[in-house]
Each structure stands twice: as structure tokens, then as C-alpha cells.
Amino acid sequence: EVQVVESGGGLVQTGGSLRLSCAASGFTFDDYVIGWFRQAPGKEREGVSCISSSAYSTYYTDSVKGRFTISRDNAKNTVYLQMNSLKPEDTAVYYCAAKARPRFWYSYMCPIPQYDYWGQGTQVTVSS
């Protein structure tokens, strides 16, 4: 059974930090690109960050550069998103998603929501 499960969300003050985790099972994790998306009420789903299957390549949307860091531990089938200096604008449901590794990977592919598997999301709320 394929499972993608996010955790680590919660309520934090402006300027605070959270670390999200994405635990996966039921597929060959090492062969998948992992992306983080977020969606605030009334807004489109936005690609936040991605990491390649080898962890060699990463992507961040402009609004989180310098504040968020993505990493993965393939031995644990887990991807992390460290979020620092959080702002109220970061408030959203955060989703983890996985897509099979393509032959060629380019950063611009990250925010395109053509992913094979999606988690149920974890709520991040940043108080103003």
C-alpha cells in the first residue's frame, strides 16, 4: 500500500521555526522526486520546494529562499522541510508529493503538480 504522510505542522509565532516531515512507503522512494506544496484558503496550490531522488538538486520558490531548507534521508524514506523565520504569509496546508524520477530533471519542473502520490497535508499557522 502506498502511503505519503506529513507531520510537524502546528501554530508558531512570526519569526519562529517548524520542521515538517514526509514519510513514504509502498514505492521505491529512492527513485522519486519529492515536492512540498502549500495551499492557503482561496488560493491556488503553490510549489514550495523540491528535492531530486539523489538529493543533488533542490528548488525553492522565491518567497521562501533563504528561510526554508529541504533535505532527504533515503534510508528512512523521509523528506524534511526546515522552515525558519516564518511569516503569516506562510500559513497554509502543506502537502508532500512524489513523482517518479524522470530521465532528465530541471528545476522548473518542481512546481508543476503532475505528481504520482500525494499526502493528506499538515496545517501550518503563523500568528501575526
Side-chain angles (χ1 to χ4, degrees):
E1 180 185 357
V2 172
Q3 292 190 75
V4 179
V5 182
E6 305 94 334
S7 62
L11 175 64
V12 66
Q13 297 179 45
T14 297
S17 298
L18 287 172
R19 189 179 74 159
L20 305 184
S21 297
C22 174
S25 61
F27 59 95
T28 51
F29 186 79
D30 295 358
D31 292 330
Y32 281 71
V33 174
I34 304 298
W36 285 98
F37 290 75
R38 66 186 180 187
Q39 188 164 24
K43 293 188 176 181
E44 296 282 339
R45 186 169 295 185
E46 174 191 25
V48 177
S49 184
C50 287
I51 189 164
S52 64
S53 59
S54 67
Y56 182 78
S57 297
T58 58
Y59 163 88
Y60 302 94
T61 193
D62 287 344
S63 63
V64 309
K65 287 180 180 177
R67 300 189 297 120
F68 291 11
T69 303
I70 191 169
S71 61
R72 70 189 292 162
D73 186 343
N74 286 346
K76 296 181 178 180
N77 283 13
T78 302
V79 166
Y80 305 97
L81 185 67
Q82 179 67 45
M83 306 186 296
N84 298 327
S85 302
L86 283 162
K87 305 174 180 180
E89 302 90 88
D90 296 316
T91 296
V93 177
Y94 283 70
Y95 298 90
C96 180
K99 71 164 78 178
R101 181 186 62 191
R103 178 63 181 87
F104 301 102
W105 172 253
Y106 302 99
S107 294
Y108 70 80
M109 297 176 178
C110 177
I112 302 172
Q114 297 292 344
Y115 282 69
D116 300 306
Y117 309 118
W118 291 84
Q120 292 298 308
T122 185
Q123 177 71 48
V124 171
T125 303
V126 185
S127 61
S128 59

